């Protein structure tokens, strides 16, 4: 039915259900004979492993250093010759990523300002613009409720109410700016049932093929 690969990104504050919905979307697209590859940021590449240590608070970093680490890992995510986004797309495989530069613009942008983080990402020719960003919207209260229910999952430095609230607002500011640049972004309420959310996501995604 469809033969052109697409690059789709999922965003949302922690606890929004990105992992569940990404897997459901990949399965739904596969039923329509669309080959999919699921990936995430930070990556499993060396740059991503170092970044995970910083996120866990094991490596002291400034906000700018963190933004630069994310951008470096994002470039590698795109250009890696074996598992990079460009390689997958050129092979006709649709790529679905859990987080991308929208997170950097929201999380580090909240501290550094939009322009500083934008320069590291939107102006980098090695960082591809997605065909679609799906934002799963959740309140900070619901986010912390879901995070608290997780078992044996380490907390990250960004998982507190004040930061989640600030970041959610920043995401919406980022989306307004990027829509003016022509980016396609869909916002979906993530507080409903899993099946209902999945159906709305599929309806939005299938339109870009």
């Amino acid at each position: 039915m469809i033969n052109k690969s697409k690059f789709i990104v999922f965003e949302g504050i922690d606890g929004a259900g990105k992992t569940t919905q990404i897997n459901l979307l990949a399965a739904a697209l596969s039923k329509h004979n669309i080959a999919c590859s699921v990936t995430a940021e930070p990556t499993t590449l060396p740059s991503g492993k170092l970044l995970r240590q910083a996120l866990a608070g094991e490596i002291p970093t400034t906000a700018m250093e963190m933004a630069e680490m994310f951008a470096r890992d994002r470039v590698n995510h795109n250009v890696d010759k074996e598992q990079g986004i460009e390689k997958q797309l050129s092979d006709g495989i649709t790529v679905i990523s859990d987080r991308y530069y929208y997170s950097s613009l929201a999380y580090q942008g909240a501290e550094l300002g939009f322009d500083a983080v934008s320069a590291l990402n939107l102006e980098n020719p090695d960082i591809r613009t997605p065909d679609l960003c799906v934002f799963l919207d959740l309140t900070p209260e619901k986010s912390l409720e879901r995070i608290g229910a997780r078992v044996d999952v380490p907390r990250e430095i960004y998982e507190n109410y004040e930061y989640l609230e600030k970041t959610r607002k920043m995401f919406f500011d980022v989306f307004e700016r990027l829509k003016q640049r022509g980016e396609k972004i869909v916002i979906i309420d993530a507080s409903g049932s899993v099946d209902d959310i999945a159906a709305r996501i599929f309806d939005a995604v299938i339109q870009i093929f």
Side-chain angles (χ1 to χ4, degrees):
M1 181 180 80
I2 297 163
N3 57 20
K4 187 174 181 182
S5 56
K6 300 292 184 180
F7 178 32
I8 303 162
V9 171
F10 274 69
E11 292 282 6
I13 62 175
D14 290 330
K18 296 188 309 300
T19 300
T20 296
Q21 292 300 332
I22 286 171
N23 290 333
L24 289 172
L25 175 62
L29 291 177
S30 294
K31 290 181 180 178
H32 286 74
N33 298 318
I34 302 171
C36 295
S37 173
V38 173
T39 184
E41 293 189 354
T43 68
T44 56
L45 298 166
S47 55
K49 292 177 181 177
L50 187 66
L51 185 49
R52 289 182 189 279
Q53 289 181 286
L55 286 169
E58 297 171 9
I59 302 174
T61 54
T62 65
M64 179 54 76
E65 288 171 337
M66 187 74 81
E68 290 171 344
M69 290 174 72
F70 268 108
R72 190 176 305 116
D73 189 43
R74 190 159 295 125
V75 168
N76 293 337
H77 193 192
N78 274 270
V79 305
D80 185 78
K81 293 181 179 179
E82 294 184 1
Q83 51 186 305
I85 294 166
E86 295 298 336
K87 172 64 165 59
Q88 299 284 338
L89 293 173
S90 66
D91 288 343
I93 299 171
T94 285
V95 178
I96 306 173
S97 180
D98 184 344
R99 296 201 182 283
Y100 199 55
Y101 57 57
Y102 309 92
S103 285
S104 288
L105 290 166
Y107 284 84
Q108 285 81 54
E111 298 180 64
L112 300 170
F114 180 89
D115 292 341
V117 183
S118 173
L120 293 171
N121 291 273
L122 305 184
E123 298 173 23
N124 191 323
D126 288 325
I127 296 179
R128 185 184 185 93
T129 301
D131 294 295
L132 176 68
C133 172
V134 177
F135 181 71
L136 298 180
D137 186 33
L138 199 67
T139 64
E141 292 89 349
K142 192 66 176 179
S143 170
L144 288 172
E145 178 184 323
R146 292 183 180 179
I147 291 170
R150 293 172 178 170
V151 178
D152 298 328
V153 178
R155 293 288 289 268
E156 289 189 350
I157 58 177
Y158 296 125
E159 292 175 350
N160 62 78
Y161 181 89
E162 182 180 355
Y163 205 92
L164 290 170
E165 181 179 39
K166 184 178 181 181
T167 301
R168 181 174 180 247
K169 292 178 180 178
M170 191 68 180
F171 263 119
F172 282 100
D173 179 59
V174 166
F175 294 149
E176 285 304 311
R177 290 171 180 262
L178 295 185
K179 284 180 180 179
Q180 293 175 14
R181 293 168 56 99
E183 291 207 27
K184 187 170 180 57
I185 298 161
V186 60
I187 299 172
I188 292 177
D189 183 355
S191 63
S193 72
V194 170
D195 290 343
D196 180 55
I197 295 167
R200 281 183 282 146
I201 290 171
F202 183 80
D203 287 344
V205 168
I206 205 67
Q207 294 180 34
I208 69 171
F209 285 94

